[in-house]
Amino acid sequence: MALQCGIVGLPNVGKSTLFNCLSNAKAQAANFPFCTIEPNVGVITVPDERLNRLAELVHPQKIVPTTVEIVDIAGLVKGASKGEGLGNKFLANIRETDAILHVLRCFDDENVTHVDGHIDPVRDKEIIDAELQLKDLETIEARIKKVEKQAKTGGDKEARLAFEVYSSIREVLLRGESARTVTFDTKDEARAARDLFLLTAKPVMYVCNVDEANAVTGNNYVDAVREAVKNENAEILVVAAKIESEIAEFDTYEEREMFLTEIGLDESGVSRLIKSAYKLLNLQTFLTAGPQEVRAWTFQKGWKAPQCAGVIHTDFEKGFIRAEVIKYADYITYGSENAVKEAGKMSVEGKEYIVQDGDIMHFRFNV
């Protein structure tokens, strides 16, 4: 399951600097708008210390972490929904992503210009929100035109349900709120809304880009953002992109850890961001361990064993028989698969087993 997050924000808020920290791809980080002309796509491995611990015990030929794709999209400006700047192209790029990382400038620096002249992250957030909402409103209006006649004059229940869902979302957008704030009573209503692929229905994480002095505690700008988004059910992350770029230059894990300790951080902003993205999308990880490889696999929280088997290969899901499950803590405690079995700590689960984060799985199937 490939997770893709799109980085958005106004020009010069630190998007490309953050992107460079997240991946080895080097987006041009220059002090002027639209320096990122084509969307840059980088791939970053998801930090998971459990893989390293298992590898110490299993001694596999390789370790395969799960990955996240990061799409760096050029800075949006007011009027993007109508094609201002490079708006339409980049709004289309956002549509393909699973979640939005909305970078907000929460630092003062007279050497880095701001497109609106002064620093106000809440205003910046509202500008981007408005552009995404206007684009969604275009989508909703077009869909309503398609189903309105059938919904009002015919006996098409599906058209009537769609019309009601579209109308409720339209009302919210006209109030200047995002589609993600709308809740639905039935699965059919939720599916009708999901099929719209609206920009403002996507989960969002606000990434407050601060300077080094405020990397640990945040600042007044961050406090203002927290207050502004308190009812949005969104993730907030404080990151000093400039510091993250310095961390990325270190060659060894030990050097990075020493630097983080010196500035008072437990882990890098990059690690925190990826973990928060997983939480935002309700994702978890199961593991497989053997002499060939120790590997992490991404799945949706609440999935049952056959669905998780399908993450590895569709044949595993189709021919699912059972799953042999070892809890990560037990594997570490006993030191090997055989020792876990001898201790009676391996369970055999059927089709109704709900996989847990960190489960070490071995699927039995027949095709």
Side-chain angles (χ1 to χ4, degrees):
M1 181 186 295
L3 168 65
Q4 190 177 77
C5 297
I7 300 180
V8 304
L10 293 178
N12 295 340
V13 297
K15 299 186 321 303
S16 294
T17 302
L18 181 62
F19 173 82
N20 291 341
C21 303
L22 287 167
S23 72
N24 290 325
K26 295 296 180 183
Q28 181 184 0
N31 184 21
F32 58 91
F34 311 131
C35 62
T36 311
I37 301 301
E38 293 298 331
N40 290 268
V41 180
V43 178
I44 182 172
T45 58
V46 177
D48 194 334
E49 184 57 32
R50 293 174 300 190
L51 291 174
N52 297 326
R53 295 288 306 279
L54 284 174
E56 290 171 2
L57 299 173
V58 178
H59 306 295
Q61 293 180 19
K62 59 181 177 178
I63 302 174
V64 185
T66 190
T67 60
V68 174
E69 286 188 2
I70 305 293
V71 183
D72 182 26
I73 299 165
L76 297 177
V77 294
K78 191 179 293 185
S81 60
K82 302 299 181 184
E84 291 295 323
L86 299 170
N88 284 328
K89 186 174 183 181
F90 300 116
L91 288 167
N93 291 327
I94 298 168
R95 198 177 298 280
E96 303 301 317
T97 63
D98 299 300
I100 294 174
L101 307 179
H102 188 162
V103 182
L104 297 168
R105 178 172 170 177
C106 295
F107 66 90
D108 294 303
D109 187 339
E110 61 184 19
N111 295 315
V112 180
T113 60
H114 190 287
V115 70
D116 279 333
H118 67 283
I119 311 303
D120 185 344
V122 174
R123 175 207 57 209
D124 295 352
K125 167 202 164 326
E126 291 171 349
I127 289 173
I128 299 294
D129 283 351
E131 296 307 320
L132 300 183
Q133 288 161 8
L134 286 169
K135 200 66 180 176
D136 279 351
L137 197 54
E138 285 183 17
T139 301
I140 285 289
E141 298 285 10
R143 289 294 190 97
I144 286 177
K145 284 182 181 179
K146 286 184 178 180
V147 300
E148 187 171 12
K149 188 174 181 180
Q150 282 179 297
K152 290 184 176 180
T153 62
D156 190 331
K157 291 183 179 179
E158 193 171 321
R160 189 159 60 248
L161 180 140
F163 178 75
E164 290 172 357
V165 168
Y166 300 165
S167 297
S168 63
I169 295 174
R170 180 178 182 271
E171 288 179 14
V172 166
L173 292 170
L174 287 172
R175 291 201 302 266
E177 299 173 12
S178 295
R180 74 180 69 90
T181 63
V182 183
T183 56
F184 298 100
D185 297 325
T186 69
K187 290 182 178 179
D188 288 339
E189 290 174 342
R191 184 175 63 251
R194 191 166 56 248
D195 289 345
L196 292 167
F197 298 103
L198 297 177
L199 300 172
T200 64
K202 295 180 183 296
V204 64
M205 181 194 304
Y206 294 102
V207 183
C208 296
N209 185 17
V210 300
D211 55 23
E212 182 174 346
N214 296 291
V216 178
T217 59
N219 55 25
N220 290 337
Y221 293 134
V222 175
D223 293 339
V225 172
R226 289 190 194 281
E227 179 64 24
V229 307
K230 64 182 180 182
N231 297 321
E232 287 192 28
N233 194 30
E235 292 283 315
I236 296 178
L237 192 70
V238 178
V239 169
K242 193 172 181 181
I243 288 179
E244 295 301 317
S245 64
E246 293 176 21
I247 293 172
E249 296 299 321
F250 289 118
D251 294 324
T252 68
Y253 173 81
E254 288 74 20
E255 287 177 317
R256 290 193 292 271
E257 287 299 295
M258 189 179 299
F259 181 78
L260 287 169
T261 301
E262 286 178 2
I263 61 177
L265 291 174
D266 294 327
E267 61 180 335
S268 72
V270 167
S271 294
R272 289 184 288 116
L273 189 149
I274 298 303
K275 290 177 182 177
S276 295
Y278 261 55
K279 179 182 176 184
L280 184 70
L281 289 167
N282 213 23
L283 298 176
Q284 293 183 326
T285 302
F286 73 85
L287 309 168
T288 54
Q292 296 296 318
E293 64 180 26
V294 167
R295 184 165 184 158
W297 306 86
T298 301
F299 70 99
Q300 198 78 36
K301 185 178 180 180
W303 274 12
K304 295 179 180 179
Q307 290 173 289
C308 288
V311 174
I312 298 176
H313 197 287
T314 53
D315 285 348
F316 285 24
E317 182 173 7
K318 290 175 184 176
F320 179 88
I321 299 173
R322 65 181 182 272
E324 297 170 354
V325 183
I326 298 174
K327 296 300 179 184
Y328 170 77
D330 288 336
Y331 205 114
I332 297 301
T333 299
Y334 293 98
S336 72
E337 184 175 323
N338 286 334
V340 171
K341 289 179 181 178
E342 290 172 3
K345 291 292 186 177
M346 186 184 81
S347 63
V348 178
E349 306 290 350
K351 293 182 178 180
E352 296 304 310
Y353 176 70
I354 297 175
V355 178
Q356 304 297 308
D357 184 60
D359 278 354
I360 299 168
M361 311 289 293
H362 181 69
F363 297 105
R364 300 292 184 181
F365 67 101
N366 183 32
V367 291

